[in-house]
Amino acid sequence: MRIKWKLTLWATFLILFLFLAYSLSQYVVIQNWAANQETKTVQKTMKEVTAYIDEMPSEQAISESASYLEVLNEDDQTIRLINDNDKTVVTIADDADELRPPKHVTEKNLVKANQEDDPLLIYKTPVETGEFSGTVEITRDIEDYESLFEQIGMVVIIAGLAAVVLSFIGGRFISSQLLKPINSMISTMKKVKENGLKERMPIKQKQDEMAELGMMFNELMDNLETSFQQQQQFVEDASHELKTPLTIIHGHLSLIQRWGKDNPEVLERSIQLSVNETDRLTHLVSELLTLTKGQNDSSDVSHMESSQVKQKLEMLIENYQLIHREFEIRPHLDFDTGVTLKMSQNHFERMMIILLDNAITYSEDDKVIDVRARQTAEQLTIDVTDFGTGIPEAEIPFVFRRFYRVDKSRSRKHGGNGLGLAIVMDLVAMYNGTIDIDSRYGEWTTVTVTFPG
Ligand code: ATP
Ligand code: MG
């Protein structure tokens, strides 16, 4: 069953239940009260009549004082005196044919009876006075009272039926009000499915929970759209980057096919260049893999003691020094002991390799690289400084972008894909660190990474 109908039914039942409970209890209370009132009237008359008759010496005296009893009587009421032979002594009534045959009683009793469809309340009390022994009988016609309650009952039933209809309409209204934002969300989602991620939910001015839900949904869609666009951009850029080396390799292979077989010089050169390009491809693909894998892969987070960080740095510097003998790589490692860096060793190494690679790649004649590390209780800071090309100030914010290279042709010559810093950026962010670049174009560049302690 749809929520719309569930809500409608629940609201209908609830409203109906409340209405019926209220009217029924009101009906019962009023009915009891009115019935009590009727009985009280009869009892009051009875009290007055018996008190009066108690004063009477004989049956004779009683039958003569009928006019006084008439004063005591009320509307819709008959007073009758019956002697112990079941004979009527006095009858005071407007309508005597309602009465049942006279009957003497020995005990008080109050009964409800029907005489020719007329509801009656009959109260009998035995009396003993002087020579007279008999029964006072008061009969009250409660037809008005009964018909009043029949009418009230009818009103309750009709109102109940109206309540069913009204509460159904009300329930429908409540449910449609509640479900409006959800329906609009559903239709937005349908549109998203048909027309793409551009669609948004219309937001009302009202500051209620539903508006909040709508806003959340829209924000979510914004994020989704952005990340979708980024993904698309990434794939486009990646394909573009992959295409260049492939085109070059294709070119060389065609060259070899046409002339290379007979010309060892062309053959040699083309093969060499193709090998270079395949190296490039391998490097690019492994970087792409790192980028896509990097974000999810913080499983092997180990806590590196400061001594380990220091060791790792020393080892890396030593290796680089060994490979790049023309460079002078100068470590300045200043560590407090007993502080840990929460980072996987692999990630740490990868980050340092990218930074050192850049420093070496973009150095010029001044082949000196400074690696500075400081660790305090609050943070670990590592700087890598080279004295090479530098980065123009305006370009610094862009170098973290994927595939961004300051000097395309130059960077390509070095085999750069423009992914290194993007990878470092991701890695650093994964461990809540920050990365900064300070540079003077043509003079020096310092890349600083900082991690909380
Ligand atoms: P790769 O993906 O192979 O690292 P890349 O070195 O071109 O390629 P990044 O490391 O992300 O890519 O660097 C982006 C750009 O920033 C580089 O192309 C270069 O222009 C500039 N750059 C990075 N480091 C330095 C540096 N130390 N000195 C001068 N320019 C730099
Ligand atoms: Mg690089």
Side-chain angles (χ1 to χ4, degrees), residues 162-231:
V164 173
V165 175
L166 283 181
S167 54
F168 182 78
I169 295 171
R172 196 70 194 77
F173 177 72
I174 292 173
S175 79
S176 80
Q177 282 299 309
L178 280 178
L179 292 176
K180 209 187 261 176
I182 293 178
N183 284 334
S184 116
M185 209 178 219
I186 292 174
S187 78
T188 310
M189 284 175 179
K190 267 188 198 147
K191 279 190 213 149
V192 169
K193 208 171 139 196
E194 283 159 15
N195 312 337
L197 298 171
K198 285 272 175 298
E199 295 290 338
R200 293 291 178 276
M201 232 176 116
I203 307 273
K204 297 260 166 57
Q205 283 306 303
K206 276 186 284 175
Q207 282 304 306
D208 57 9
E209 288 84 345
M210 288 304 177
E212 215 172 295
L213 187 69
M215 255 137 55
M216 290 289 292
F217 176 79
N218 284 353
E219 266 169 42
L220 213 68
M221 289 305 296
D222 286 345
N223 290 350
L224 210 64
E225 198 186 352
T226 320
S227 88
F228 185 72
Q229 277 167 354
Q230 278 170 354
Q231 290 283 334

Side-chain angles (χ1 to χ4, degrees), residues 283 287 354-355 357-358 361-362 411 416-421:
H283 178 62
E287 274 189 328
I354 291 171
L355 296 185
D357 269 345
N358 278 353
T361 311
Y362 303 108
S411 174
N417 300 311
L419 287 175
L421 288 176

